[in-house]
C-alpha cells in the first residue's frame, strides 16, 4: 500500500467533492493542495482575526469555491480567480454566533446558521444581497434542510429550498423559491418532534421522520408540500420500532 508524505493542518482537512483538491490550515496560511501530487495549488494568508479553534471548511458542489469560516467571519475563495474574495462578517452578533456555514444551491450562495436556531441567512456573494429565515430546527443538510434535486426542475441552476423549522410548539416545513427564497408553501407537520427532512432523488417527493421517543413514523409529501402517505412501521418488530428512524 502506498502512502503520501504527511501534511500538517490545524484542523480536519477537507477534500473537494470531485476529489481533486484538499483544503487545510496552517498557522499562517489557508492551503489547497492537489490530491494527486500533494503540491500546493492555492495559498492564501490566514487572517489574523481568524479563530482556529472554531474553523469550518466547506466546498461548493462544483469544487470551484471553498469557504473558510469561524464563529464571526466567513470568507469565500475562488480557485480560478486568486484575487477574488467574499467576506461576510457577523456584525454585532445580536442573533448569536455562527455555528454552521454551508454552500447553498449554487457556488454563489452561502448559508450561515446562527446559534440557538435563531435564523439562517442566505448570502449571495456575487450581488451582496441576503435573505433571513427564522427558526431553523437543525443546521445539517439532509436533516434540517435540503435542496430539491436540480434535474427534477429542468434547469442547471438553483432549485427549491426546503427548510424544517420549529415555530412555537409546531414543526413546520417551508418551501422557498430559487434565488429569491420567497416562501412558496408552508406545511404544518403533525409531528411531535421531527428529526429530519430529505428530498427523493427524482425531486418528486420529500420525507419527514419522527423522533424515536414519539414513535416509529415517517411521512412522504408531494413536491408542493401535501402529505401523500405515512408509514408507522406496522410490519416492523416491536423491539425494532423502539429504535425509531435514524435516516
Amino acid at each position: 500500500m502506498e502512502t503520501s508524505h504527511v501534511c500538517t493542518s490545524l484542523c480536519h482537512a477537507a477534500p473537494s467533492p470531485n476529489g481533486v483538491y484538499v483544503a487545510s490550515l496552517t498557522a499562517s496560511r489557508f492551503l489547497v493542495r492537489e490530491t494527486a501530487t500533494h503540491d500546493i495549488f492555492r495559498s492564501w494568508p490566514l487572517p489574523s482575526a481568524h479563530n482556529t479553534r472554531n474553523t469550518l471548511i466547506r466546498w461548493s458542489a462544483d469544487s470551484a469555491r471553498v469557504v473558510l469560516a469561524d464563529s464571526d467571519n466567513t470568507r469565500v475563495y475562488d480557485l480560478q480567480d486568486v484575487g477574488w474574495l467574499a467576506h461576510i462578517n457577523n456584525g454585532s452578533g445580536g442573533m448569536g454566533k455562527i455555528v454552521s456555514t454551508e454552500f447553498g444551491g449554487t457556488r454563489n450562495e452561502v448559508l450561515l446558521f446562527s446559534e440557538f436556531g435563531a435564523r439562517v441567512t442566505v448570502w449571495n456573494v456575487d450581488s451582496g444581497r441576503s435573505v433571513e429565515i427564522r427558526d431553523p430546527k437543525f443546521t445539517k443538510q439532509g436533516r434540517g434542510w435540503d435542496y430539491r434535486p436540480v434535474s427534477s426542475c429542468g434547469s442547471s441552476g438553483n432549485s427549491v429550498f426546503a427548510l424544517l423549522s420549529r415555530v412555537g410548539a409546531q414543526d413546520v416545513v417551508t418551501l422557498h423559491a430559487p434565488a429569491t427564497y420567497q416562501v412558496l408553501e408552508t406545511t404544518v407537520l403533525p409531528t411531535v418532534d421531527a428529526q429530519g427532512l430529505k428530498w427523493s432523488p427524482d425531486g418528486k417527493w420529500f420525507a419527514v421522520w419522527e423522533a424515536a421517543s414519539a414513535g416509529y413514523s415517517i411521512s412522504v409529501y408531494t413536491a408542493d408540500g401535501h402529505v401523500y402517505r405515512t408509514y408507522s412501521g406496522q410490519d416492523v418488530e416491536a423491539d425494532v420500532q423502539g429504535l425509531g428512524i435514524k435516516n
Side-chain angles (χ1 to χ4, degrees):
M1 182 177 66
E2 295 183 0
T3 59
S4 67
H5 65 277
V6 176
C7 301
T8 60
S9 178
L10 295 181
C11 64
H12 291 297
S16 62
N18 63 6
V20 176
Y21 308 107
V22 60
S24 61
L25 208 63
T26 68
S28 60
R29 310 290 295 183
F30 179 42
L31 305 177
V32 172
R33 296 179 181 270
E34 295 178 334
T35 54
T37 63
H38 294 273
D39 291 337
I40 295 175
F41 179 73
R42 291 288 181 263
S43 175
W44 296 280
L46 187 66
S48 58
H50 181 77
N51 185 349
T52 56
R53 291 178 296 177
N54 295 314
T55 295
L56 289 172
I57 299 175
R58 297 289 188 267
W59 285 92
S60 61
D62 61 2
S63 302
R65 287 178 175 173
V66 61
V67 154
L68 176 66
D70 59 19
S71 55
D72 292 311
N73 294 278
T74 297
R75 293 174 172 84
V76 186
Y77 299 89
D78 193 297
L79 266 63
Q80 302 307 318
D81 186 352
V82 182
W84 185 92
L85 170 67
H87 178 204
I88 305 169
N89 184 271
N90 197 32
S92 63
M95 297 292 282
K97 294 184 177 296
I98 300 170
V99 296
S100 183
T101 302
E102 303 286 348
F103 274 97
T106 70
R107 72 175 75 168
N108 299 327
E109 293 178 353
V110 178
L111 310 180
L112 302 184
F113 290 86
S114 299
E115 60 184 348
F116 312 122
R119 68 180 177 185
V120 53
T121 306
V122 185
W123 281 91
N124 186 306
V125 296
D126 282 351
S127 68
R129 299 181 62 182
S130 66
V131 177
E132 289 187 5
I133 308 173
R134 300 296 294 270
D135 304 315
K137 191 169 185 180
F138 302 111
T139 63
K140 184 179 179 182
Q141 184 174 13
R143 187 177 186 192
W145 57 275
D146 201 11
Y147 284 92
R148 187 183 183 191
V150 171
S151 58
S152 64
C153 306
S155 69
S156 58
N158 287 13
S159 61
V160 173
F161 176 69
L163 179 70
L164 178 61
S165 303
R166 184 75 175 182
V167 181
Q170 290 185 312
D171 290 322
V172 175
V173 170
T174 50
L175 303 179
H176 299 262
T180 64
Y181 286 83
Q182 292 182 345
V183 177
L184 299 173
E185 187 70 35
T186 299
T187 301
V188 178
L189 304 178
T191 52
V192 175
D193 186 13
Q195 291 297 294
L197 174 152
K198 186 72 175 177
W199 282 100
S200 63
D202 61 6
K204 295 181 179 179
W205 319 90
F206 67 85
V208 177
W209 56 95
E210 183 68 274
S213 59
Y216 192 100
S217 178
I218 182 169
S219 296
V220 178
Y221 291 79
T222 60
D224 57 355
H226 295 86
V227 64
Y228 173 70
R229 185 169 296 172
T230 298
Y231 175 66
S232 301
Q234 297 87 343
D235 55 349
V236 178
E237 297 178 7
D239 55 345
V240 176
Q241 281 191 20
L243 299 175
I245 298 171
K246 180 66 175 178
N247 202 342

